Amino acid sequence: MIQIPVGLQLFSVREALAKDLAGTLQSIADIGYTNIEFAFHNIREDGTFEVDYTAAELKAMMDKLGLQVVTSHVAYHPNLDLDAVIRYNAEIGSKGIVMPCAFFRDREDAVELAKWLNASGRKSKEAGIQFYFHNHFHEFQEFDGQTIMDILLEHTDPELVQIEFDTFWALRGGVDPIAFMDKYGSRIGLVHQKDLAPSANPVNLLEKVSGHLTDEVVFSAANQEDFTEIGAGVMDIPSILKKAEELGTVQYIIVEQDQTVKGELASVKESFDNIQRLLAQ
């Protein structure tokens, strides 16, 4: 039996949340989730951090349902008001802030972002909060023979910046998740998990797109049908879970279903049930 706790990234149920925040959180709790990762993507043009509800309101709602915030995604902005982000996360009980995505024209962009990550990680750590970078597939594009991910990790302090490793997106970047975990295991504090549909073709999206990978290019590269629930696809999730336990650094396995052809709540319930079964094997 693998003892790593399971969480849910709320981006997976974003449409349901927009319609009924309290009711959706209740449904998530009813499924069996207790650990929650929020997605705060609405940063103002000047970098101001704004949320539709106060930290106190959100904390009270979560406490009532027996849910705890373990981490939160906060969209990147070069002038992000990180002090406000840290305060909000501390008040809701979150122990981690995750930068969910960035885009790169060249190697220098990656080196410059690494400086921002280090500075953000240092300020977060001083407040008792860990800072993470979350990958998609395009960070495995190469500049001068080195992947963006390698450049970022080479230029960031392991004490300040850890990885939230999305195994699905790594696979879609042509990377074997287990090999990556072996290489960078000490940097991986969180794992994002979903599954890849058997029909996905090509698996490696870098065979499909190249050049300057903008947000529009990246997020249009995968089809909705490529995503499927944990246990319903072709990924070797049992081996990923075993490797995560072996590393000893992974604090949570977080279910994230970026897209689904099913209803959002039905999707995250299926993944929850299946990952619990896999962890118990």
Side-chain angles (χ1 to χ4, degrees), residues 214-244:
T214 63
D215 56 347
E216 183 177 354
V217 172
V218 167
F219 292 127
S220 64
N223 301 316
Q224 182 182 30
E225 295 79 13
D226 293 351
F227 299 84
T228 193
E229 288 65 35
I230 290 172
V234 297
M235 294 187 70
D236 186 2
I237 295 175
S239 293
I240 291 170
L241 297 177
K242 290 175 184 176
K243 179 58 66 175

Side-chain angles (χ1 to χ4, degrees), residues 168 171 193-200 225-238 257 262 270-271 274 277-278:
F168 170 97
L171 185 62
Q193 194 61 58
K194 47 191 155 274
D195 214 337
L196 179 66
S199 60
E225 295 79 13
D226 293 351
F227 299 84
T228 193
E229 288 65 35
I230 290 172
V234 297
M235 294 187 70
D236 186 2
I237 295 175
Q257 197 69 36
K262 302 180 179 181
E270 181 177 337
S271 284
N274 286 344
R277 174 178 53 78
L278 294 173

Side-chain angles (χ1 to χ4, degrees), residues 14-55:
R14 56 195 176 277
E15 293 180 6
L17 285 172
K19 295 175 182 176
D20 182 0
L21 173 64
T24 301
L25 291 176
Q26 178 67 68
S27 296
I28 289 166
D30 291 344
I31 288 170
Y33 288 103
T34 57
N35 303 303
I36 298 299
E37 181 176 70
F38 269 85
F40 300 123
H41 292 166
N42 296 323
I43 306 300
R44 293 181 60 179
E45 289 186 6
D46 63 356
T48 301
F49 176 70
E50 286 189 340
V51 181
D52 292 337
Y53 25 83
T54 68

Side-chain angles (χ1 to χ4, degrees), residues 3 5 8 17 46 66 72 94 105 116-117 122 141 153 178 205-206 212 225 238 245 281:
Q3 300 292 337
L8 177 66
L17 285 172
D46 63 356
S72 67
S94 169
R105 293 166 299 182
W116 186 92
L117 292 171
R122 182 173 294 106
Q141 182 183 31
L153 292 172
I178 299 297
L205 291 172
L206 292 175
H212 180 200
E225 295 79 13
E245 182 181 46
Q281 289 180 353

Side-chain angles (χ1 to χ4, degrees), residues 112-213:
E112 286 301 310
L113 181 68
K115 296 176 183 177
W116 186 92
L117 292 171
N118 277 328
S120 300
R122 182 173 294 106
K123 182 173 281 193
S124 299
K125 196 171 187 67
E126 289 170 354
I129 293 176
Q130 181 63 52
F131 200 85
Y132 300 87
F133 180 81
H134 168 276
N135 66 282
H136 287 80
F137 77 89
H138 62 289
E139 293 90 352
F140 299 100
Q141 182 183 31
E142 291 190 359
F143 293 139
D144 301 325
Q146 191 175 23
T147 70
I148 295 169
M149 200 69 177
D150 285 339
I151 297 168
L152 291 174
L153 292 172
E154 177 183 330
H155 289 85
T156 50
D157 185 335
E159 294 298 316
L160 303 178
V161 182
Q162 293 186 3
I163 307 167
E164 180 172 62
F165 182 50
D166 192 307
T167 63
F168 170 97
W169 284 120
L171 185 62
R172 305 231 66 185
V175 172
D176 175 2
I178 299 297
F180 185 90
M181 295 170 83
D182 281 331
K183 183 177 181 179
Y184 286 117
S186 63
R187 299 291 298 268
I188 301 173
L190 303 167
V191 168
H192 263 197
Q193 194 61 58
K194 47 191 155 274
D195 214 337
L196 179 66
S199 60
N201 184 41
V203 171
N204 180 2
L205 291 172
L206 292 175
E207 297 174 2
K208 181 178 179 181
V209 296
S210 61
H212 180 200
L213 301 183

